[in-house]
Amino acid sequence: MDSLLIAIVSGLVGLLLGVAGMHAFRVSELQRAAGIDVDEPTMPAGATEVLASLGLAYIVVDTVDGVVRANPAAYAFGLVRGHTVVHQELLALTARVRADGVIIDQDRELPRGLQGESSIVVHLRVAPLGDEYILVLAEDRTEFSRTEAVRNDFVANVSHELKTPVGAISLLTETIEDAADDEVAIRRFAQRLQLESVRLAALVQDIIELSRVQGKNVVHAGLPVDLDEVISEAVDRSRLPAEAKDITIRVGGSLPRWVHGDHDQLTMAFRNLIDNAVRYSPEGTRVGVGLSSRDGIAQVTITDQGIGISPEDQERIFERFYRVDAARSRQTGGTGLGLSIVKHVITNHGGEVSLWSQQGKGSTFTVRIPELEEGQEPGEPEDGAPADDVGPRSDHVQSDRARAGEGGTE
């Protein structure tokens, strides 16, 4: 009995000693931990200030590619999520820099969005930062890349379009030289030579106009413009071709408020639309120009009774050099830049242009442009009616564009 009691007491004492030892060990560990200084990741002196002044997206990663620092632009570009670099391409570049110590400059197109539904083109510069970190600088080049692609495509298209009239002129010149003794052939070839020269001049002129439209900032350089006057001038300049086809242009309505913009650009745009309507309308038909104003928006509709445009072609009708019917365009002298010019002009004025068309029933182009507020129009009489209000008009009118195809759709 005594031995059992001694065994129990010894067990309790051992248990107490074990608990006491564990407690002492825990206290010791806590004391040791309290005496250790754990440094947060630090950047080289002045690095943060320099990065903030660059105006670029930046990411700083440590030896295991954990994100130590990243600015809001890096998150906005979708390069970083939480404390993780999103794209494996970036991690591959940081690994190369970490291994070789060589700075890398590259342009990359990276997916953007939670599901990669869009993309962003960035110029990346990846370099060592101190002994522990890798710095990734990213500049958004998406718009630059898009513009460069459009420019390259435009140059390629222009080169292709110029080949046809230039080649034809060269060939006709040689043919005329070989047929020096055939007056009938010379006369026929000379007429064709004149046609190709007119087509070449029209194409060059439209390229110049498109370049001028793209290069002018209407927001800063624009002035108040009376659209009634613009339409009247555009219609008047469309006199000759319409009279040649016995086409009537009827203008109805008026625009009580002015718009902010460029008078010459707007005149060119509406002249292109009217010329286009005349060119693709049968003889003896009518082109209607309707003017209206609602909720601070000036609206101009131009309707023809022409051949119409298929739904597939309507989606591409405003593209440069796009032609619904290339053969017909050659006959009518269209350059394929007319509607592209219209689109640029109206967009530059903060407006929009749309198309409704049905094959065999004609087409309607609708232009909508924001109006100026009351009191901003110069030369406005006290009763609020615009100066030089011409009101509804009805004429046999067409374009004085003597050359074939200037400003046409196709």
Side-chain angles (χ1 to χ4, degrees), residues 223-227 230 257-263 266 349 372 378:
L223 297 169
V225 177
D226 182 0
L227 274 187
V230 165
R257 294 183 181 177
W258 294 33
V259 301
H260 177 81
D262 184 281
H263 181 280
L266 289 170
H349 286 75
L372 291 173

Side-chain angles (χ1 to χ4, degrees), residues 171-191:
L171 181 61
L172 287 167
T173 303
E174 294 177 4
T175 305
I176 289 174
E177 184 178 0
D178 294 337
D181 298 331
D182 189 342
E183 294 184 3
V184 176
I186 290 177
R187 188 175 297 109
R188 184 173 71 253
F189 292 141
Q191 292 174 348

Side-chain angles (χ1 to χ4, degrees), residues 67-83:
V67 175
V68 177
R69 271 188 175 79
N71 65 347
Y75 287 91
F77 290 172
L79 306 179
V80 178
R81 193 173 300 149
H83 295 284

